[in-house]
Amino acid sequence: MRVVRAQLADIAADRSDADIQAIADTACAGLAAGRSTDEIVDSTRSLGTLDAEATDHATARELIKLAIDTTCFDQRGRVDEF
């Protein structure tokens, strides 16, 4: 959570640590399930809300990279997709 708060402060604003972790967990689950890059980016863009476009593609990709670096280490082989 600290990394997201430091690197993507606008995303972290008004979100609890649990909310931020849930975004990472969702990305990690998609990666582990073998979902396509586009599917994972699209689901991450919602930031766990009903707004499918709560953030842009570039920010979603950065969130996924951070999730790989901090939460789902076993998915490091996919980091270059994002």
Side-chain angles (χ1 to χ4, degrees):
M1 279 67 63
R2 277 189 230 155
V3 175
V4 172
R5 290 193 188 287
Q7 294 185 18
L8 299 170
D10 55 324
I11 296 299
D14 300 323
R15 288 189 171 77
S16 69
D17 287 351
D19 293 338
I20 295 169
Q21 187 62 53
I23 295 167
D25 291 344
T26 299
C28 291
L31 289 161
R35 293 179 60 198
S36 74
T37 302
D38 290 337
E39 288 176 308
I40 298 167
V41 170
D42 288 346
S43 67
T44 303
R45 285 189 70 194
S46 73
L47 301 176
T49 69
L50 295 177
D51 182 358
E53 296 180 353
T55 194
D56 58 43
H57 278 91
T59 302
R61 288 177 178 276
E62 187 63 26
L63 283 165
I64 296 162
K65 288 179 191 178
L66 290 172
I68 292 169
D69 289 344
T70 61
T71 302
C72 46
F73 309 111
D74 59 333
Q75 296 300 321
R76 285 189 177 150
R78 293 193 65 186
V79 74
D80 290 338
E81 295 176 37
F82 304 95

